[in-house]
Amino acid sequence: MSSDRFLRRIGVVSGLVMLAFLAGCQVRPLYSEASGTGERLAAVGFSQPQNRIDQVVRNHLVFLTSGGAGESTRPAYDVKLSAKSTATSILDDEDEDNVSSTGVPVPGRVQVEATYTLTRVSDGQVLKSGKRDVVSLIDVSGQGFAKLRAIRDAENRAARELAEFIRAEIAIALAREPQPQTVWQK
């Protein structure tokens, strides 16, 4: 009898501990209206681009954060963004043109890397900074224009994907921001 009571008490205590643990979990949608993340994303401004890759990443970020409405005229947050791209051959035993002796296209890769810093404009506090990179695979042709076009298309694909990652990280950082307090006046 006493072992049954003991097991029952252990079950009740472990159930209460588990209930207390689960009560501490706060799972909520990232873009819920209550959190205000969507409004904060729309209030993000981006630094001016320095090269073509910066421009592609920036344009896609502006579209993603504003929902297609364009960049904020009075941003509450600022993102300093710098991106670069490198194109390399996957195979090491090929010649300078990255084309095999039979004329078959050679596999290559384009890596787009970006560093960014999210700051609050009102006090200059850095909320998030990071470095991300995305790789896009290509087939490098022996024709000059086809090679350049393949590299540019791969850069564009990688830049758009990179913008998606950066937007998600910015949204997470903005979701952690405290809600502005509403001051009611008579």
Side-chain angles (χ1 to χ4, degrees):
M1 273 287 183
S2 69
S3 68
D4 287 340
R5 233 184 235 168
F6 179 71
L7 290 176
R8 215 178 279 153
R9 286 182 182 167
I10 294 256
V12 169
V13 169
S14 64
L16 289 174
V17 168
M18 192 63 124
L19 186 62
F21 176 73
L22 290 176
C25 293
Q26 295 182 3
V27 178
R28 62 178 187 244
L30 181 60
Y31 302 113
S32 69
E33 292 295 322
S35 69
T37 305
E39 294 170 1
R40 289 187 188 125
L41 277 173
V44 174
F46 297 92
S47 62
Q48 292 301 313
Q50 302 299 316
N51 56 41
R52 193 188 77 78
I53 301 299
D54 278 351
Q55 184 72 48
V56 175
V57 173
R58 181 186 185 277
N59 285 352
H60 202 60
L61 275 170
V62 167
F63 179 79
L64 291 172
T65 57
S66 68
E71 194 170 1
S72 174
T73 55
R74 298 178 58 109
Y77 304 95
D78 185 45
V79 174
K80 300 228 181 309
L81 179 70
S82 174
K84 67 178 182 175
S85 170
T86 55
T88 58
S89 173
I90 291 177
L91 304 176
D92 292 334
D93 59 348
E94 301 301 324
D95 62 357
E96 273 305 301
D97 284 340
N98 294 330
V99 179
S100 67
S101 58
T102 61
V104 177
V106 175
R109 58 184 269 153
V110 173
Q111 181 175 359
V112 176
E113 183 179 292
T115 56
Y116 65 94
T117 304
L118 172 68
T119 57
R120 191 181 308 125
V121 172
S122 62
D123 60 359
Q125 180 182 359
V126 174
L127 303 176
K128 173 83 174 145
S129 63
K131 181 178 180 180
R132 282 296 214 156
D133 63 279
V134 173
V135 173
S136 184
L137 300 177
I138 59 173
D139 286 330
V140 180
S141 172
Q143 299 174 347
F145 179 75
K147 177 181 175 180
L148 291 175
R149 193 67 229 184
I151 291 171
R152 178 164 290 191
D153 288 345
E155 285 174 342
N156 290 342
R157 284 192 315 269
R160 285 191 304 270
E161 188 175 344
L162 186 66
E164 296 274 349
F165 285 131
I166 293 172
R167 173 189 166 259
E169 290 180 358
I170 290 172
I172 291 169
L174 293 178
R176 292 182 185 138
E177 281 284 283
Q179 286 282 5
Q181 299 297 321
T182 304
V183 178
W184 296 94
Q185 296 182 3
K186 291 183 180 184

